């Protein structure tokens, strides 16, 4: 038998120390290293069945560490108490950028602009603050700041903006009974693109070779109505996108939708949809109801997302081939529909817009 492990001196905790260690051990926000050290000290403060202090080996088996780790943190706690469980300062060069300097850089990046540019660069901010460009870059990365990036946003100037948002979003989220709500739009000037020269095929050791330029043999326009609930589309390509083509598309929509359904069309504010010819044609087809999105706000119209899909990454040698491809895409999509889910209510959209406008006003950028 080996020699028995020597018993350490009893480790006595005050009530405050025990409560603090238990809080560190339980809290999910506590760093894992500190939580482990707290468990070690709490286990060292316990006694065995004979009422004697527990050995480092017994504590190590309970906590899942080595006896040397138990002795290290027990000794640190005995010497420095709770302060001894923290990490000691690391060796290396002392920090040269203070918290006040970091705060000043972040504030200047968010609230000011250079006099001769639209946004700050790392070099311009370094020249202004006297710090290095790499220091500015590290601070910006730490706070997720990217002054060179921007997103455009234009609030609608329509006088009935809120009413139209409620009207359109309500059709998506809670349509009336026996109603088909479809979003309608046109995509004009869809170009048929083809390679200027034939593609040279790939061979062993030789990659496929393509000409860098394209030819444009023609264009087409596409009117489409997306049923967001089912993901099906009724589309009609035309060479032009005038009122007469839109009227033909509406007639096709009227023919293909079951006669027992009322049809509510969600359209953007494109002029073709509100011409006198369309206004005279709609009363003769009373089951078609037009809902116009707010001025300059085509984003509530989900068909705009769908328009990016039929022609992405495809080449066509003629406008006729492009139109055949579009019709085939629509047919395949209707055979395998993918519903488009609208997630935000109209109140959430309007609240987000109001919050955005307040932030812009408070920042002094308007």
């Amino acid at each position: 038998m080996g020699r028995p492990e020597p018993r350490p001196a009893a480790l006595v905790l005050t009530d405050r120390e025990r409560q603090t260690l238990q809080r560190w051990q339980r809290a999910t926000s506590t760093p894992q290293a500190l939580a482990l050290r707290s468990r070690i000290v709490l286990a060292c403060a316990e006694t065995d069945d004979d009422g004697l202090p527990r050995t480092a080996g017994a504590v190590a088996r309970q906590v899942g560490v080595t006896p040397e780790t138990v002795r290290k943190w027990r000794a640190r706690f005995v010497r420095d108490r709770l302060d001894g469980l923290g990490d000691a300062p690391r060796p290396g060069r002392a920090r040269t950028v203070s918290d006040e300097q970091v705060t000043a850089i972040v504030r200047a990046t968010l609230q000011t602009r250079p006099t001769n540019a639209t946004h700050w660069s790392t070099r311009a901010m370094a020249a202004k603050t006297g710090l290095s460009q790499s220091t500015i870059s590290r601070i910006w990365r730490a706070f997720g700041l990217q002054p060179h990036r921007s997103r455009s946003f234009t609030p609608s100037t329509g006088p009935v903006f809120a009413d139209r948002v409620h009207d359109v979003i309500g059709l998506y989220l809670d349509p009336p009974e026996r109603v088909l709500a479809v979003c309608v739009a046109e995509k004009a000037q869809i170009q048929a693109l083809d390679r200027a020269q034939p593609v040279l095929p790939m061979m062993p050791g030789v990659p496929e070779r393509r000409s860098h330029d394209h030819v444009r043999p023609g264009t087409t326009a596409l009117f489409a109505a997306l049923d967001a609930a089912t993901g099906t589309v009724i589309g009609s390509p035309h060479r032009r996108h005038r009122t007469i083509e839109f009227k033909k598309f509406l007639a096709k929509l009227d023919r293909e939708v079951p006669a027992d359904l009322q049809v509510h069309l969600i359209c953007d504010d494109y002029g073709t949809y509100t011409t006198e010819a369309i206004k005279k044609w709609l009363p003769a087809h009373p089951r078609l109801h037009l809902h116009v999105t707010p001025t300059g706000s085509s984003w509530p119209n989900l068909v705009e997302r769908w328009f990016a899909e039929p022609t992405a990454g495809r080449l066509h040698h003629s406008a006729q081939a492009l139109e055949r491809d579009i019709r085939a895409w629509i047919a395949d999509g209707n055979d395998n529909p993918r519903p488009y889910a609208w997630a935000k209510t109209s109140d959430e959209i309007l609240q987000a817009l109001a919050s955005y406008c307040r932030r812009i006003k408070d920042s002094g950028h308007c």
Side-chain angles (χ1 to χ4, degrees):
M1 294 180 61
R3 295 179 58 185
E5 184 179 355
R7 298 273 181 176
L11 180 61
V12 180
L13 302 177
T14 65
D15 291 340
R16 186 184 69 83
E17 289 174 339
R18 186 178 296 277
Q19 292 172 1
T20 301
L21 291 170
Q22 290 173 344
R23 185 175 69 253
W24 286 350
Q25 177 184 344
R26 291 192 303 265
T28 57
S29 59
T30 302
Q32 291 298 306
L34 181 57
L36 175 62
R37 296 162 196 171
S38 301
R39 287 196 296 272
I40 291 173
V41 174
L42 288 170
C44 290
E46 297 174 356
T47 58
D48 59 16
D49 295 338
D50 297 329
L52 300 175
R54 301 183 66 188
T55 64
V59 173
R61 287 189 295 273
Q62 174 185 341
V63 180
V65 296
T66 64
E68 289 74 16
T69 301
V70 173
R71 295 189 188 99
K72 171 186 175 180
W73 292 108
R74 188 184 193 282
R76 286 272 296 269
F77 182 82
V78 170
R79 185 181 72 239
D80 300 321
R81 309 307 290 184
L82 293 174
D83 293 337
L85 300 185
D87 288 317
R90 302 285 183 181
R93 188 167 67 92
R95 181 182 176 188
T96 58
V97 181
S98 66
D99 291 340
E100 290 74 17
Q101 288 175 298
V102 173
T103 302
I105 291 169
V106 173
R107 184 179 293 114
T109 304
L110 294 175
Q111 299 180 3
T112 66
R113 293 183 181 180
T115 56
N116 59 346
T118 59
H119 61 269
W120 287 106
S121 66
T122 54
R123 291 179 177 84
M125 184 61 73
K128 173 181 172 63
T129 60
L131 300 175
S132 68
Q133 180 188 352
S134 59
T135 298
I136 301 299
S137 181
R138 285 195 299 271
I139 294 173
W140 281 1
R141 284 198 302 270
F143 286 87
L145 298 176
Q146 297 176 317
H148 64 285
R149 298 186 62 185
S150 64
R151 293 181 180 177
S152 59
F153 183 88
T154 303
S156 174
T157 57
V160 289
F161 174 77
D163 293 339
R164 287 187 175 182
V165 169
H166 283 293
D167 180 36
V168 171
I169 306 306
L171 281 173
Y172 283 129
L173 297 180
D174 189 21
E177 293 291 334
R178 307 302 300 166
V179 161
L180 176 66
V182 294
C183 35
V184 173
E186 89 295 335
K187 185 174 184 179
Q189 299 295 315
I190 305 175
Q191 292 188 348
L193 298 177
D194 199 5
R195 298 285 179 188
Q197 299 294 332
V199 175
L200 299 179
M202 178 177 58
M203 296 185 294
V206 180
E208 182 182 81
R209 288 159 291 173
R210 308 171 180 172
S211 59
H212 71 281
D213 54 342
H214 295 82
V215 294
R216 294 169 171 79
T219 63
T220 190
L222 172 63
F223 288 98
L226 170 68
D227 179 4
T230 64
T232 57
V233 172
I234 297 175
S236 180
H238 298 272
R239 295 301 170 86
R240 303 179 68 176
H241 57 103
R242 304 167 299 175
T243 298
I244 187 171
E245 282 80 22
F246 182 58
K247 189 187 297 184
K248 291 178 181 178
F249 171 70
L250 291 181
K252 178 180 179 180
L253 195 63
D254 192 26
R255 290 193 306 269
E256 296 191 10
V257 174
D260 61 332
L261 292 178
Q262 294 290 310
V263 184
H264 288 250
L265 310 175
I266 300 170
C267 303
D268 58 26
D269 57 344
Y270 185 56
T272 300
Y273 305 152
T274 55
T275 59
E276 287 299 321
I278 297 299
K279 291 179 179 178
K280 292 178 180 177
W281 186 87
L282 284 174
H285 302 78
R287 75 186 188 117
L288 299 181
H289 308 273
L290 210 63
H291 300 261
V292 181
T293 61
T295 304
S297 302
S298 62
W299 46 263
N301 201 344
L302 281 176
V303 73
E304 302 285 351
R305 298 185 182 182
W306 179 85
F307 275 137
E309 300 176 6
T311 58
R314 292 171 175 81
L315 298 178
H316 306 88
H317 63 273
S318 67
Q320 291 87 347
L322 172 62
E323 292 174 355
R324 285 197 301 270
D325 241 15
I326 290 175
R327 291 190 179 96
W329 175 273
I330 293 174
D332 181 69
N334 291 341
D335 291 337
N336 304 280
R338 185 186 65 185
Y340 288 70
W342 189 273
K344 296 293 185 180
T345 66
S346 53
D347 288 337
E348 290 173 331
I349 292 172
L350 295 173
Q351 289 171 3
L353 176 62
S355 175
Y356 175 85
C357 292
R358 283 195 300 270
R359 291 199 303 271
I360 294 297
K361 183 178 180 179
D362 294 342
S363 67
H365 290 169
C366 64

